[in-house]
Amino acid sequence: MSVVDVQEAITRTHHAEWARVVASLTRRFGDLDIAEEAAAEAFATAVERWPDDGVPPNPGAWLTTTANRKAIDRIRRESKRDGKHKEARTLYDDDPPEPLGPIDDDRLRLIFTCCHPALGIHARVALTLRMVAGLTVPEIARAFLVRESAMEQRITRAKAKIKATRIPYRVPSAEDLPARVTGVLAVLYLVFNEGYLATGPGTDPVRPGLTAEAIRLTRLIRALLPDDGEVAGLLALMLLTEARRTARVSTSGELVALNEQDRGAWDAALIAEGHRLVRERLAAAAAGAAPGRYQILAAINAVHTSARDVRDTDWSQVLALYDQLARLDPSPVIALNRAVAVAELDGTEVALAAVDRLEDQLTGYHAYHATRADLLRRLGRSQESRAAYDRAIELAGNTAETAYLTRRRDQLR
């Protein structure tokens, strides 16, 4: 096996086994710091030894064994330095623990630990990306446009809080699981959205690495909770959104709106998988299982990706789905998105009136002003449209979106 082949094998193994190794160590030693450092040392050892020794037949088992030895060495060093006795059970007991929740999977416990509601949402995202996805601190810092030192402190404080408050390393009880899954999905959706359309200026408008990690982690949750409708819905939503990614930014770095995208460039395999998941959830809904927010959003995206041309879009179905979503989530952002469908069915004037009613709630939201600018443009109210575009450009952080809004404004008479 060539050096390149070994490097590719290490990369694949890192993606596939990082969470499993960290989770196994966390279960055994009960310390996220020990788990993270030992896992990192094990992968560093693989980088050194595998080019000469070859990739082991079971890379995951090799890494777990190596990481356990690294962790034990660290505990022994600290025991000698601090004069503290570590229980022999911690070092030598290899008996598997009793299941700690409705599903006995170390990775799932790790995700629920990182996404515990006692932690702030930004800490949950950072900790999930580090401990579960295996991203480095510099990678996470770049993704969210903060200094490496600040991100390191954020992750350190989160781990310290887990230890100080004794946040349990377990899957929640059966009665608490639905509410806790909701929090985990919210973190994964936030990670995906930051990758799909970055919020900060001066960076790549789209970060495929983040969207890929979000999808990978959601697939993991899906495999562990195959009957959860919202997990399936979020995965479908991500897949149908990711399928359009390569067509969403032009070669000049400008955002390409849905109605202007080259639909032939969409990823047909991702669309097919997303549609299959949506159909499964529609069948479940027909059997009496009420769909949740992510399932409805996925269904809306399925309608859009089913149309070979924007003129073929079934806007009446889109509007009906938004009406259903608004009953679950009567937020102003949902109302704003609903107004786009209203414009296609009931006319621009009706849609503009609906958008204007949202001003007090969305005045600081760039998409509100961008939507309003487009509706005013359609009505020929160029001066008002220009002012709305100016405000949207001022508030937008993504470089590709700013370029798109600027072009649209400059096209006004």
Side-chain angles (χ1 to χ4, degrees):
M1 184 178 287
S2 69
V3 173
V4 174
D5 291 336
V6 172
Q7 291 174 341
E8 291 178 349
I10 292 173
T11 300
R12 288 195 304 271
T13 303
H14 187 274
H15 286 160
E17 300 293 342
W18 170 269
R20 198 186 307 274
V21 174
V22 171
S24 174
L25 294 170
T26 303
R27 169 175 57 80
R28 182 173 181 185
F29 299 103
D31 190 300
L32 287 176
D33 278 324
I34 290 175
E36 178 189 354
E37 291 186 14
E41 289 179 14
F43 276 96
T45 302
V47 171
E48 293 176 1
R49 292 177 51 180
W50 288 8
D52 295 328
D53 299 347
V55 178
N58 189 335
W62 188 97
L63 288 163
T64 301
T65 300
T66 302
N68 270 283
R69 290 171 180 163
K70 299 287 186 183
I72 290 171
D73 289 343
R74 173 180 166 174
I75 290 173
R76 284 172 172 160
R77 289 194 304 269
E78 291 182 350
S79 297
K80 291 178 181 179
R81 185 184 67 228
D82 300 335
K84 296 179 180 178
H85 174 67
K86 299 293 182 181
E87 296 180 4
R89 175 182 57 81
T90 301
L91 298 181
Y92 301 112
D93 183 10
D94 288 325
D95 293 336
E98 292 297 319
L100 299 177
I103 301 173
D104 184 19
D105 188 284
D106 286 335
R107 294 163 300 168
L108 188 59
R109 292 185 192 128
L110 181 60
I111 290 174
F112 277 104
T113 300
C114 293
C115 295
H116 196 279
L119 302 174
I121 186 66
H122 295 301
R124 292 184 227 170
V125 173
L127 200 59
T128 299
L129 287 175
R130 178 69 197 118
M131 304 303 295
V132 183
L135 271 67
T136 65
V137 172
E139 286 174 330
I140 302 170
R142 285 196 300 271
F144 291 94
L145 305 175
V146 299
R147 295 190 306 275
E148 290 182 22
S149 58
M151 183 56 69
E152 182 73 60
Q153 290 173 0
R154 183 180 296 176
I155 294 173
T156 299
R157 285 194 298 266
K159 289 189 290 187
K161 186 168 185 177
I162 287 173
K163 182 182 293 186
T165 59
R166 297 183 179 180
I167 290 174
Y169 173 65
R170 64 175 178 85
V171 175
S173 60
E175 58 269 22
D176 293 335
L177 188 57
R180 289 290 303 280
V181 168
T182 300
V184 171
L185 297 184
V187 169
L188 296 179
Y189 192 36
L190 183 60
V191 171
F192 179 85
N193 283 336
E194 180 62 27
Y196 188 70
L197 189 63
T199 55
T203 186
D204 292 338
V206 175
R207 300 189 183 103
L210 275 184
T211 58
E213 288 299 335
I215 291 172
R216 189 173 71 86
L217 294 175
T218 306
R219 286 191 188 281
L220 174 61
I221 298 291
R222 166 73 172 160
L224 299 172
L225 299 173
D227 298 325
D228 189 294
E230 280 294 80
V231 175
L234 179 58
L235 178 57
L237 174 60
M238 288 181 177
L239 294 174
L240 294 174
T241 307
E242 176 73 0
R244 306 195 303 267
R245 176 174 53 81
T246 56
R248 198 156 189 251
V249 177
S250 69
T251 55
S252 63
E254 180 182 317
L255 184 74
V256 181
L258 178 63
N259 62 342
E260 297 176 342
Q261 288 177 14
D262 175 10
R263 300 188 175 216
W266 290 355
D267 190 314
L270 291 181
I271 290 174
E273 185 180 359
H275 283 184
R276 178 180 56 77
L277 288 170
V278 169
R279 287 194 298 270
E280 289 178 5
R281 298 317 310 162
L282 289 175
R293 179 172 182 267
Y294 296 122
Q295 294 170 72
I296 298 173
L297 286 171
I300 292 170
N301 275 266
V303 175
H304 285 301
T305 51
S306 295
R308 294 186 177 182
D309 188 279
V310 65
R311 293 168 294 186
D312 300 328
T313 304
D314 188 346
W315 288 105
S316 60
Q317 189 175 0
V318 172
L319 183 59
L321 287 167
Y322 270 119
D323 287 340
Q324 187 177 4
L325 182 59
R327 289 191 289 271
L328 287 178
D329 180 13
S331 72
V333 173
I334 296 300
L336 179 67
N337 292 332
R338 180 185 180 277
V340 175
V342 169
E344 300 296 331
L345 292 171
D346 300 329
T348 309
E349 289 277 9
V350 177
L352 180 61
V355 169
D356 283 343
R357 288 193 290 270
L358 303 172
E359 180 178 8
D360 291 342
Q361 296 167 286
L362 297 179
T363 188
Y365 183 41
H366 78 278
Y368 163 77
H369 297 282
T371 302
R372 190 167 179 273
D374 182 64
L375 295 173
L376 289 166
R377 178 190 58 79
R378 295 192 208 181
L379 293 170
R381 294 160 60 175
S382 299
Q383 187 172 353
E384 294 171 86
S385 178
R386 181 179 297 276
Y389 274 123
D390 285 340
R391 182 59 175 153
I393 292 167
E394 180 184 346
L395 293 170
N398 187 281
T399 54
E401 199 163 13
T402 299
Y404 166 74
L405 293 170
T406 301
R407 177 177 64 83
R408 297 291 282 173
R409 180 198 62 189
D410 294 345
Q411 288 175 338
L412 292 168
R413 291 194 302 273

